[in-house]
Amino acid sequence: MDIQAFISHFREAFGQHAQLPLLFGYSDQAVAATQKIGGCFFKGLQAAREGTPVSLSVDVIGCGGGKLYTGFSDMPERVPGFVSLKEKYKKTPEMVVDYVQSLGMKRAEKPYLNFVRIDQAKSFEGTEGLLFYATPDMLSGLCGWAFYDSNNADAVVSLFGSGCSTVVSMTVEENRRQGHRCFLGLFDPSVRPWVGKNELSFTIPLSRFVPMMDCMKDCFLFDSQAWEKVKRRLEE
């Protein structure tokens, strides 16, 4: 699977103005000297979107939840109460605990989580998933592509969670069990100020991306009158 081939297909399907996805995965070495990010680490991912790699670690991430959902720490004692009583995202702290446990997250085995725009990467080696920042029109294409070779009702899912859990935790666990689900995310109000008002995330675990890439040229994204109308709007 060649990165340049995918970029060529992606540009042909979504237009020259579509944002390239970020590859993310763990490593023993940082790919960038990223400064500590206070609060939500998604504010720091803007640099990766612009072409400068970002390396997250337990020292770089300033948010306790961010450290938890990237696998760099256990759940801080204050998180259940904060999510329930302060943020009011769950009715009780006990529900927060049950939710976190249900994710089945494992501690990261390597100290760095790198986000690299795909045109800045040399290969897919070490990649856990691909993160697309997508408008509704772009989501139409990405979701349709994911359903093209799959009749699974959960080929694309939207689950409750913080931005970091829906993008990182769920995608990483799906990839490690060689699963097929893609994830819609960034619905969390706490992450919304750090992304575009018309953007959501669409993440594809590498385990699913490989078969999707194999059939990409066969689906409606190429030589389809319906998609061409959407693509013209994407290119405006």
Side-chain angles (χ1 to χ4, degrees):
M1 183 168 48
D2 180 73
I3 279 182
Q4 292 305 316
F6 169 72
I7 292 175
S8 177
H9 292 347
F10 181 77
R11 291 298 195 201
E12 184 178 351
F14 290 93
Q16 296 302 310
H17 299 301
Q19 290 191 56
L20 292 172
L22 305 182
L23 304 184
F24 61 95
Y26 294 89
S27 70
D28 290 315
Q29 300 294 327
V31 299
T34 304
Q35 299 297 310
K36 184 171 183 178
I37 303 169
C40 180
F41 71 70
F42 272 84
K43 68 178 72 172
L45 294 188
Q46 183 61 35
R49 299 177 69 175
E50 295 171 357
T52 300
V54 170
S55 292
L56 302 180
S57 68
V58 68
D59 295 321
V60 170
I61 300 173
C63 169
K67 294 178 183 180
L68 165 67
Y69 291 119
T70 51
F72 290 135
S73 75
D74 295 328
M75 181 165 59
E77 291 185 7
R78 65 184 291 269
V79 163
F82 180 77
V83 173
S84 174
L85 306 176
K86 177 68 173 179
E87 293 185 310
K88 299 185 178 181
Y89 291 155
K90 281 293 184 182
K91 187 174 182 179
T92 66
E94 291 74 21
M95 289 182 67
V96 178
V97 174
D98 288 344
Y99 163 73
V100 172
Q101 291 177 344
S102 73
L103 294 177
M105 295 183 295
K106 301 177 181 64
R107 288 292 295 269
E109 296 179 354
K110 297 182 179 181
Y112 297 99
L113 174 61
N114 303 309
F115 286 80
V116 183
R117 201 174 66 190
I118 194 169
D119 61 333
Q120 303 299 310
K122 296 179 179 179
S123 72
F124 288 100
E125 183 179 358
T127 297
E128 297 278 4
L130 290 85
L131 164 59
F132 297 81
Y133 288 85
T135 62
D137 279 349
M138 191 171 174
L139 283 174
S140 169
L142 291 169
C143 290
W145 175 27
F147 283 115
Y148 175 69
D149 66 335
S150 174
N151 280 334
N152 291 309
D154 61 351
V156 177
V157 296
S158 174
L159 304 175
F160 168 81
S162 62
C164 45
S165 70
T166 56
V167 168
V168 178
S169 310
M170 295 175 188
T171 308
V172 167
E173 291 304 317
E174 191 74 9
N175 183 56
R176 293 181 178 177
R177 68 183 185 87
Q178 293 296 293
H180 64 269
R181 295 183 300 172
C182 298
F183 298 91
L184 289 169
L186 300 183
F187 294 100
D188 170 24
S190 297
V191 79
R192 291 308 305 165
W194 311 114
V195 298
K197 64 180 180 180
N198 293 316
E199 289 180 330
L200 292 174
S201 63
F202 188 90
T203 52
I204 308 175
L206 193 68
S207 57
R208 180 65 179 118
F209 178 72
V210 173
M212 284 177 62
M213 180 63 183
D214 287 343
C215 68
M216 184 179 189
K217 290 282 288 187
D218 299 325
C219 78
F220 68 95
L221 293 173
F222 299 84
D223 302 319
S224 160
Q225 290 185 359
W227 181 249
E228 280 299 318
K229 295 177 182 178
V230 180
K231 180 182 173 182
R232 283 197 295 269
R233 192 158 66 178
L234 284 170
E235 291 181 320
E236 290 177 356

